[in-house]
Amino acid sequence: MWDAPYDGVPGAVVVGDFALTGGEWFPPHRHSAHQLVWSRRGVGSVRVGDETWFLPRTLALWVPAGVVHATGAVDPSWNRSPYFLPERCPAAISAWAEPTVVAVTPLLAALIDHLADAALPTEQRIRAEAVVFDLLRPLSTVAIPLPMPRDARAGQVAAALIDDPADGRTLAQWGALTGASARTLRRVFLAETGLSFGRWRTHARLRAAMPVLAAGQPVAAAARRAGYGTASAFVAAFHRTVGAPPGTYFARDR
């Protein structure tokens, strides 16, 4: 367990700063405090179990105290993460038991920067924290789970699709390669991942497209990376799975 230095903190929030290079990850860990994972610059990512969130600077992820998670970066990032002492948080906030995406408005970003000042007088800190709590509003966007099947044959298919999400082979073609029938592969994917094969492949494709979108490249480029024939088909799949179209999810300002 890793924790920020809370000794002597007059309020509920401690802000931690750390930099990550592109592709770098902190190993799985947990905190005794709640964490709002936010990249002040760059695009961060958080992994909890089989779920991964990609976070441009307009989004952050609330990670409740005690939840094991890994934090990484899609590109070189500067993370400015507030840590919240559970016993000093409003009950409605501390009741968030699951990782929750929140919008980082310009006002919330400015307040986090304000609270990062260790010399901030206690009265000002308490007032700023109260506004921060008011601004923590859950969004309907979701993570993209990608659990791996345990079966060796299905695992071979899954690994190949992660390596090349644009691979359009059918289950029958994969079956001929792995020695399992299409029916067997279909059953194994659903039983061992909780996702149909089609939905699992969609998740793999969208996960591959996320770094492309995060880098600011056009939707058409992300669609090609993910193996979609048209940008509109990719946008529809993204919206249906994540809960928002790519242009909204990766908006520079909300």
Side-chain angles (χ1 to χ4, degrees):
M1 180 183 293
W2 181 91
D3 282 308
Y6 303 118
D7 293 342
V9 175
V13 181
V14 174
V15 178
D17 285 302
F18 50 92
L20 287 169
T21 60
E24 182 182 3
W25 283 84
F26 285 124
H29 60 282
R30 57 190 173 90
H31 309 287
S32 62
H34 309 306
Q35 181 184 7
L36 187 66
V37 183
W38 178 52
S39 290
R40 189 69 180 84
R41 183 173 60 244
V43 176
S45 51
V46 182
R47 184 182 299 132
V48 178
D50 293 322
E51 297 186 313
T52 300
W53 289 261
F54 296 86
L55 304 168
R57 65 182 178 85
T58 53
L59 297 176
L61 185 72
W62 177 273
V63 180
V67 172
V68 177
H69 61 287
T71 306
V74 173
D75 53 6
S77 299
W78 167 30
N79 284 20
R80 170 158 278 183
S81 288
Y83 297 84
F84 299 79
L85 297 175
E87 65 273 16
R88 300 181 189 175
C89 289
I93 297 295
S94 281
W96 292 2
E98 302 293 333
T100 303
V101 175
V102 302
V104 180
T105 63
L107 176 57
L108 180 55
L111 285 167
I112 293 172
D113 288 340
H114 187 55
L115 290 169
D117 181 1
L120 192 66
T122 298
E123 296 78 9
Q124 292 185 30
R125 178 173 294 278
I126 299 301
R127 288 196 298 269
E129 288 178 358
V131 181
V132 166
F133 290 130
D134 286 341
L135 294 175
L136 294 178
R137 298 165 185 163
L139 294 179
S140 59
T141 54
V142 298
I144 304 175
L146 197 67
M148 294 294 287
R150 298 181 301 276
D151 181 273
R153 298 161 299 179
Q156 182 181 350
V157 177
L161 288 173
I162 289 174
D163 185 58
D164 181 13
D167 192 321
R169 277 181 280 192
T170 66
L171 271 180
Q173 291 171 317
W174 284 116
L177 178 67
T178 61
S181 67
R183 181 177 180 180
T184 296
L185 288 175
R186 187 178 296 109
R187 175 181 56 79
V188 168
F189 264 93
L190 185 58
E192 295 188 356
T193 72
L195 302 171
S196 68
F197 173 73
R199 190 177 176 195
W200 191 97
R201 180 160 59 183
T202 295
H203 285 199
R205 288 177 168 180
L206 296 182
R207 287 267 284 262
M210 282 289 196
V212 180
L213 294 168
Q217 297 186 38
V219 169
R224 287 193 299 271
R225 173 71 180 96
Y228 284 88
T230 65
S232 59
F234 168 73
V235 169
F238 190 102
H239 195 170
R240 185 168 56 249
T241 303
V242 178
T248 300
Y249 189 90
F250 285 98
R252 295 295 180 184
D253 295 291
R254 286 173 177 262

